[in-house]
Amino acid sequence: MIHPYYRQASAAFHAGVGAADPAEAVRRSLPEFDTPPTVIAVGKAALSMVGMARSLLGSLPALVVVTNPENAERTDELPPMPEARIFAAAHPIPDQVGLEAAQAVKVALLAASQAGRPVLCLISGGGSALLPAPVVGLSLQDKMVVNAQLLASGADIEVMNLIRQQLSELKGGGMLRYAAPSPVTALILSDVIGDDLRVVASGPTVSPIGTKAEARYILHQLDIWETLPETVRWVLQSVDVPQDLPDARNLLIGSNGLSLVAMGAAYPAAKLHPQPLIGDVTKAVQRVADMGRGAHVFGGETTVKLTGTGRGGRNQDLALRLALLAEAEAWQGPWLYLQAGTDGRDGPTDAAGGIVCETTLAKIRAAGLDPAGLLDNNDAYRALAAVGGLHITGATGTNVADLGILIRS
């Protein structure tokens, strides 16, 4: 039986995802070019963005697209692009395909520079992992280890990308150096709460977030400095050399905040919470519970510190925690909570997130599982999968962080 609140919650979530449609955002924002530009598209929304740009600009002198495998399968939705080089690189841990894609991006930018041709960059979330370009002295394996340790540490995206910028040739404005002196325009779909463009995809067309000294301090605070590869520590201990960056025109064309407004429009009876839901899930869940009765829509991006061996991203974890907290607080009457990522993938799983209600825990236990124990093992996925509590959308072609809907009678 479908829960009485499910249809409204699902409709609100999908309205939020729809508002982040990358193709429409590009159509609204694409500037005119006197000369056809070289186009570099990087991120989970790269294919949708480049499809619209290609239809508006026509044939291009060079086109490099780097996206994740799930979205790379959507090429049948695009216009013919014989000039395109499309790379399906791994996320969230980089791989050899991403390394080859980074090399292709460098070559295309250098060619545009030598020809005096303008550059159009289409940037969306996920680009940090999709485009590994290790600085001299580092290997792909080094970058893979750093990414894995940062993901497990519970660090937020700004902290992670500050560190990753220090280890990459293309992050933190690196694309601008390869393209100089060609003019660069970037259309940016933000998956970062607060929309700091230095953080989105690690800011390939903007200035760095911080310095090597700050990266070292953070890694010590996270207690992972000593476990990093020696080569990574060597790079981070080298002297910071400030460098002037060429100018770029960076335009924000979509964000979590815009999606939240769309959710509110789709569900007028709901209270819209503009303050983003951020921080560790163990604390964020109490804020959700404290929203009280009625309907509530909100956005954000929480973090999870991995201590177990299970599967389940931050959204599934948050949903299952809310079910346990509702039980502890003895909520009365029907309720439903949908929490999911707009990209359609929550952590290393095939689910966008989780859906829980007043009957979820009883069903998990009836299946012979211990929800609290699974949560302790970072295995919310197994608990929710057993009772149909996964919200599965498939790859959406966009990425503006996470959205949540709580409905209580």
Side-chain angles (χ1 to χ4, degrees):
M1 186 178 93
I2 295 177
H3 194 282
Y5 297 155
Y6 172 74
R7 295 188 192 281
Q8 189 64 71
S10 180
F13 175 78
H14 288 286
V17 173
D21 180 80
E24 178 59 23
V26 169
R27 187 193 64 77
R28 291 193 307 263
S29 310
L30 189 68
E32 293 185 359
F33 290 90
D34 295 331
T35 302
T38 287
V39 175
I40 307 294
V42 179
K44 292 183 179 180
L47 275 176
S48 296
M49 295 176 79
V50 84
M52 177 58 71
R54 177 63 168 73
S55 67
L56 296 173
L57 294 172
S59 182
L60 298 167
L63 173 56
V64 180
V65 184
V66 190
T67 193
N68 56 317
E70 296 89 345
N71 283 312
E73 296 174 359
R74 302 162 64 101
T75 52
D76 58 335
E77 303 172 14
L78 303 177
M81 300 188 299
E83 72 273 38
R85 296 190 66 190
I86 300 176
F87 295 86
H91 183 280
I93 305 297
D95 66 355
Q96 182 65 32
V97 176
L99 192 67
E100 294 168 4
Q103 184 61 32
V105 167
K106 293 178 192 177
V107 170
L109 291 173
L110 287 171
S113 169
Q114 293 166 1
R117 187 185 306 129
V119 174
L120 171 64
C121 295
L122 306 173
I123 307 297
S124 56
S128 296
L130 295 172
L131 205 65
V135 297
V136 174
L138 297 187
S139 67
L140 174 63
Q141 182 64 32
D142 292 331
K143 297 293 291 284
M144 293 169 69
V145 170
V146 172
N147 267 32
Q149 293 195 349
L150 288 173
L151 287 166
S153 73
D156 65 28
I157 192 64
E158 180 175 347
V159 165
M160 290 179 62
N161 288 357
L162 183 157
I163 293 163
R164 292 194 283 198
Q165 285 176 348
Q166 311 307 317
L167 308 174
S168 171
E169 291 188 336
L170 291 176
K171 297 173 174 60
M175 282 192 186
L176 300 182
R177 296 191 183 94
Y178 275 91
S182 292
V184 176
T185 299
L187 304 186
I188 302 173
L189 189 72
S190 171
D191 66 333
V192 173
I193 304 306
D195 302 325
D196 186 340
L197 301 187
R198 300 174 304 167
V199 182
V200 182
S202 291
T205 62
V206 294
S207 60
I209 305 166
T211 64
K212 291 176 183 174
E214 290 172 301
R216 293 195 301 271
Y217 174 80
I218 291 168
L219 290 164
H220 280 291
Q221 293 297 107
L222 293 173
D223 199 26
I224 58 176
W225 172 260
E226 297 297 336
T227 62
L228 292 172
E230 184 178 353
T231 48
V232 172
R233 286 180 284 157
W234 178 81
V235 167
L236 292 177
Q237 287 171 323
S238 61
V239 178
D240 274 304
V241 181
Q243 298 182 45
D244 291 334
L245 279 178
D247 291 332
R249 184 183 182 192
N250 291 301
L251 304 175
L252 177 68
I253 65 172
S255 69
N256 189 263
L258 294 175
S259 288
L260 183 57
V261 171
M263 289 171 67
Y267 197 171
K271 179 179 179 181
L272 190 153
H273 295 261
Q275 183 179 357
L277 187 70
I278 57 176
D280 190 271
V281 290
T282 58
K283 297 179 180 178
V285 67
Q286 188 63 59
R287 187 180 155 208
V288 177
D290 290 344
M291 290 177 182
R293 294 186 180 274
H296 307 269
V297 296
F298 44 93
E301 185 170 277
T302 56
T303 58
V304 175
K305 186 173 179 62
L306 299 179
T307 56
T309 60
R311 300 177 69 202
R314 59 182 179 265
N315 291 294
Q316 296 159 62
D317 191 296
L318 191 55
L320 188 55
R321 285 182 188 279
L322 193 279
L324 288 165
L325 187 55
E327 180 182 64
E329 295 182 353
W331 286 9
Q332 299 299 309
W335 60 269
L336 182 138
Y337 176 39
L338 188 161
Q339 178 69 39
T342 55
D343 61 354
R345 185 178 183 187
D346 186 31
T349 76
D350 58 356
I355 307 170
V356 293
C357 66
E358 70 277 4
T359 64
T360 298
L361 294 182
K363 291 178 180 178
I364 293 173
R365 290 170 182 140
L369 300 174
D370 173 17
L374 289 171
L375 196 56
D376 288 341
N377 192 39
N378 298 119
D379 209 358
Y381 181 92
R382 184 181 174 201
L384 296 176
V387 297
L390 298 174
H391 188 59
I392 297 179
T393 64
T396 63
T398 192
N399 186 19
V400 291
D402 305 330
L403 300 172
I405 306 98
L406 173 67
I407 308 174
R408 291 180 61 185
S409 64

